[in-house]
């Protein structure tokens, strides 16, 4: 078995660009939602005439959906983080998608009614008024969002109780905001899914990649807690947390 310091050094050195978690294979697991977002997105892309993927990350999910057969005549994607903009451009341009650097804040750099499909997987925030603005009448927003208190067993291990943060990202609240923006709810499904972290390197990699979980996370700042968690995993087995996901589909009202 590798030492604490060896696992930490390895996890600090590896790149966390993009939204590919394959480095965690054999080291961490997360159940996937039963609905199969990428497959469903492929079907919707296949019938769209103009589509926009918001906060596309490194473009991996969108590219996967396109390879399953979803290729509308017009397709754009937005992303804010420069390393991911470059990665998404490299991945999506050969598939016919244009990647636009965007700060993930209103306004979206597109005209009113430009798209009949807007999608997003795990947006940091859904700007519902902007989503409704760029959708054409009868157009659809289709997305998988992170739900409330996702992986909070891990978050609260490092930060302590987070009662206010636990109230955020509730699907019923987001669906109400969508209605206020002029969208009719078509589908809403929620699941909580088991996560396992089998070594401390997996924890460090995850927190470096998913930067909003423990804001400002560094190994130096949390070394003592990391060392305690390493000892716990070695003694008791994987650290277990639960992610929260919800699928939402909403359609713009036709005047």
């Amino acid at each position: 078995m590798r030492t604490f310091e060896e696992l930490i050094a390895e996890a600090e050195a590896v790149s966390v660009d993009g939204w590919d978690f394959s480095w965690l294979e054999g080291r961490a697991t997360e159940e996937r939602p039963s609905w199969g977002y990428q497959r469903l997105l492929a079907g919707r892309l296949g019938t769209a005439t103009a589509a926009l993927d918001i906060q596309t990350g490194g473009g991996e999910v969108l590219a996967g959906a396109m390879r399953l057969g979803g290729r509308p005549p017009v397709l754009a994607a937005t992303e804010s983080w420069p390393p991911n903009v470059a990665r998404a451009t490299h991945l999506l341009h050969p598939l016919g998608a244009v990647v636009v650097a965007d700060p993930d804040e209103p306004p979206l750099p597109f005209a009113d009614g430009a798209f009949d499909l807007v999608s997003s997987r795990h947006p940091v925030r859904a700007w519902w008024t902007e989503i409704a603005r760029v959708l054409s009448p009868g157009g659809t927003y289709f997305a998988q969002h992170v739900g409330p208190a996702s992986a909070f067993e891990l978050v609260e291990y490092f930060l302590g109780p987070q009662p206010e943060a636990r109230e955020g990202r509730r699907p019923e609240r987001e669906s109400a905001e969508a209605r206020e923006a002029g969208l009719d709810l078509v589908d809403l499904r929620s699941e909580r899914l088991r996560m396992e972290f089998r070594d401390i390197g997996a924890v460090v990699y995850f927190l470096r990649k998913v930067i909003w979980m423990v804001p400002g996370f560094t190994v130096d700042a949390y070394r003592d807690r990391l060392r305690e968690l390493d000892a716990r995993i070695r003694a008791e087995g994987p650290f277990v947390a639960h992610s929260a996901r919800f699928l939402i589909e909403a359609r713009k009202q036709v005047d």
Side-chain angles (χ1 to χ4, degrees), residues 103-127:
D104 291 342
E105 294 181 357
L108 285 166
F110 304 101
D112 296 359
F115 303 98
D116 57 329
L117 174 66
V118 175
S119 61
S120 192
R121 181 181 180 271
H122 303 175
V124 176
R125 177 173 177 179
W127 300 98

Side-chain angles (χ1 to χ4, degrees), residues 28-207:
T29 59
E30 179 182 354
E31 289 181 309
R32 292 287 174 247
S34 61
W35 48 75
Y37 173 74
Q38 190 175 71
R39 174 180 53 81
L40 294 177
L41 176 60
R44 284 156 178 79
L45 287 170
T47 59
T49 57
L52 170 65
D53 194 57
I54 297 172
Q55 300 177 36
T56 198
E60 296 90 351
V61 174
L62 180 58
M66 293 174 72
R67 292 188 181 108
L68 290 174
R71 296 201 183 192
V74 176
L75 178 59
T78 66
E79 174 57 30
S80 62
W81 194 40
N84 276 348
V85 172
R87 187 181 184 94
T89 298
H90 177 76
L91 189 60
L92 295 174
H93 270 200
L95 299 176
V98 174
V99 178
V100 179
D102 177 75
D104 291 342
E105 294 181 357
L108 285 166
F110 304 101
D112 296 359
F115 303 98
D116 57 329
L117 174 66
V118 175
S119 61
S120 192
R121 181 181 180 271
H122 303 175
V124 176
R125 177 173 177 179
W127 300 98
W128 290 107
T129 300
E130 278 299 286
I131 290 167
R133 182 184 66 80
V134 300
L135 276 172
S136 58
T140 297
Y141 177 70
F142 182 74
Q144 179 176 294
H145 288 202
V146 176
S150 186
F152 261 42
E153 296 93 337
L154 186 64
V155 170
E156 293 183 333
Y157 175 84
F158 290 98
L159 299 180
Q162 303 287 302
E164 291 186 10
R166 280 183 169 273
E167 293 304 307
R169 296 182 175 273
R170 295 199 171 274
E172 61 272 17
R173 187 175 301 161
E174 294 210 27
S175 58
E177 292 175 358
R179 291 190 189 96
E180 290 174 6
L183 305 178
D184 293 326
L185 192 65
V186 175
D187 194 5
L188 184 65
R189 311 181 217 175
S190 301
E191 292 183 359
R192 293 194 70 81
L193 305 151
R194 183 181 175 92
M195 307 172 71
E196 292 187 359
F197 296 90
R198 296 172 182 169
D199 68 59
I200 201 63
V203 172
V204 169
Y205 177 85
F206 180 80
L207 294 179

